[in-house]
Amino acid sequence: MLPPQSPIVFDAAVLFRETHLPTHFIWPEDETPGKEDFEELAVPVIDVQGFLSGDPAATLSTTRTVTEACLKHGFFHVVNHGVARELIEAIHKEAADFFAMPLVEKQRALRKPGESSGYASAFTGRFSSKLPWKETLTFPYSTAPGSPSNSVKDFFLNSLGHEFSRTGAVCQEYCDAMNGLSLRIMELLGMSLGVGRDYFRNFFEGNDSIMRLNYYPPCQKPELTLGTGPHCDPTSLTILHQELVGGLQVFVDGKWRSIRPQPDAFVINIGDTFSALSNGRFKSCLHRAVVNNQESRVSLAFFLSPEKNKVVRPPKELIDEENPRKYPDFTWSALLDFTQKHYRTDVNTLESFSNWLSLPPVAARISLAP
């Protein structure tokens, strides 16, 4: 009988010194970054100050730029967004302090199997190969009717205790700011798609969203692994803040390209759920995160999503003979469950989910069992 294998443990304080990576973290050669993958992608930088202040000419110009970006790859920067620099710096500090703690302390908030919230180190509880070189802390944010107004504060209180009350307060304030910004971006997307500025804002006014703090420690062999594997976000809209240390890459025109960090800007990208809401007109784009052997990297990702049981269906204005329904009706709770329990997100998540929905219940459970 073979001896039982030791459980996979990702302890950044130990592994960042290792010159021989454990095999679980080594990705296939055709998926790892090459020298040619670091050319910069010229994503549009959109100044939303004029739009936020109600200037008609600025609103028209901003809408056109957003449309062009969403038809091409779904990524753009926003600046002059109204989110205080002090708040961004405060949550970066809280994230850095959390990830600097000993592993056993972070594991007090350990993510449970099948759930989307909590602390995870390389997602060792979900996957056994091609593990990402990162740690995450994920927590829910909700403005759905009946949800507590301090859901983020409550997460930190219940998971980590009263000593994390400041962290919870900072993260709550940041999520509130992200919620406000995301709803304004939904106005832009509604105008870009010709359904009016209020359609998608109203759809997401109550939402069950996700906030994630990402930590990518240095890696002695960054050419062998990835911080996050290639995937499209299953959510609706992602608002990402990068520090000065870059790592985000987008797959455009058959090539991987890097998005340079801009400390005063947020990176915005379309997710699968909004792609379905747009009837496939705005596409979610494949992206990943690479690591380096010099510096750690922290990023902040707010994932806007609908209320869990709200039906995701494109507006009638986006459906006609030339543009028939591309995806079936679904709820965000069903897609979230699919990605947490049955499927590892990639470029085909939405298509695989649509096919899964069409299967009888028993066949669906068997076909994509983890």
Side-chain angles (χ1 to χ4, degrees), residues 141-290:
Y141 174 82
S142 179
T143 61
S147 61
S149 59
N150 293 317
S151 59
V152 175
K153 288 183 179 179
D154 293 343
F155 169 83
F156 280 90
L157 178 66
N158 296 331
S159 301
L160 293 162
H162 289 281
E163 62 266 39
F164 283 84
S165 58
R166 171 179 164 76
T167 305
V170 170
C171 291
Q172 179 76 57
E173 184 180 357
Y174 184 84
C175 286
D176 289 339
M178 292 299 98
N179 178 63
L181 178 59
S182 65
L183 293 178
R184 299 309 301 271
I185 292 171
M186 279 298 156
E187 294 179 21
L188 283 171
L189 294 175
M191 290 186 288
S192 297
L193 287 165
V195 299
R197 69 188 302 157
D198 293 332
Y199 186 92
F200 292 120
R201 181 189 176 96
N202 291 342
F203 186 87
F204 288 97
E205 196 75 58
N207 59 74
D208 285 309
S209 297
I210 298 168
M211 181 72 203
R212 177 170 294 162
L213 314 179
N214 298 301
Y215 174 67
Y216 303 91
C219 177
Q220 295 303 312
K221 297 289 184 180
E223 70 278 5
L224 298 181
T225 192
L226 287 169
T228 302
H231 69 287
C232 296
D233 294 335
T235 48
S236 297
L237 186 79
T238 302
I239 303 180
L240 181 78
H241 190 269
Q242 302 189 87
E243 287 185 311
L244 291 175
V245 180
L248 175 63
Q249 294 189 333
V250 182
F251 195 69
V252 179
D253 298 329
K255 299 178 181 178
W256 286 105
R257 292 292 177 259
S258 295
I259 294 185
R260 180 191 298 178
Q262 297 192 25
D264 293 323
F266 289 109
V267 183
I268 310 295
N269 71 271
I270 299 299
D272 284 339
T273 300
F274 192 83
S275 182
L277 276 171
S278 74
N279 202 30
R281 296 194 186 188
F282 286 177
K283 306 257 188 325
S284 51
C285 189
L286 195 67
H287 55 286
R288 70 184 185 185
V290 299

Side-chain angles (χ1 to χ4, degrees), residues 4 8 26 48 137 140 175 197-198 226 304 310 324 352:
I8 306 166
I26 298 177
V48 294
L137 181 65
C175 286
R197 69 188 302 157
D198 293 332
L226 287 169
L304 179 71
K310 198 163 194 174
S352 297

Side-chain angles (χ1 to χ4, degrees), residues 33-201:
K35 293 181 180 178
E36 70 280 1
D37 293 341
F38 289 85
E39 182 180 330
E40 185 177 338
L41 176 67
V43 296
V45 178
I46 299 175
D47 187 333
V48 294
Q49 187 173 43
F51 163 70
L52 295 176
S53 65
D55 181 270
T59 297
L60 180 61
S61 175
T62 301
T63 302
R64 287 174 177 168
T65 307
V66 167
T67 303
E68 291 172 3
C70 291
L71 290 173
K72 184 172 179 58
H73 48 60
F75 276 80
F76 53 94
H77 278 118
V78 294
V79 296
N80 290 325
H81 38 68
V83 181
R85 179 66 191 171
E86 293 78 11
L87 177 57
I88 299 172
E89 291 174 347
I91 189 172
H92 269 288
K93 182 181 185 306
E94 296 297 332
D97 288 348
F98 173 83
F99 290 118
M101 296 195 307
L103 180 62
V104 67
E105 292 297 315
K106 291 179 283 192
Q107 288 179 331
R108 289 161 55 192
L110 193 63
R111 178 177 180 163
K112 297 177 182 178
E115 294 188 0
S116 58
S117 297
Y119 168 76
S121 54
F123 295 129
T124 55
R126 295 185 63 196
F127 310 125
S128 59
S129 64
K130 298 199 298 186
L131 295 182
W133 194 266
K134 70 174 180 180
E135 298 175 78
T136 61
L137 181 65
T138 307
F139 42 91
Y141 174 82
S142 179
T143 61
S147 61
S149 59
N150 293 317
S151 59
V152 175
K153 288 183 179 179
D154 293 343
F155 169 83
F156 280 90
L157 178 66
N158 296 331
S159 301
L160 293 162
H162 289 281
E163 62 266 39
F164 283 84
S165 58
R166 171 179 164 76
T167 305
V170 170
C171 291
Q172 179 76 57
E173 184 180 357
Y174 184 84
C175 286
D176 289 339
M178 292 299 98
N179 178 63
L181 178 59
S182 65
L183 293 178
R184 299 309 301 271
I185 292 171
M186 279 298 156
E187 294 179 21
L188 283 171
L189 294 175
M191 290 186 288
S192 297
L193 287 165
V195 299
R197 69 188 302 157
D198 293 332
Y199 186 92
F200 292 120
R201 181 189 176 96

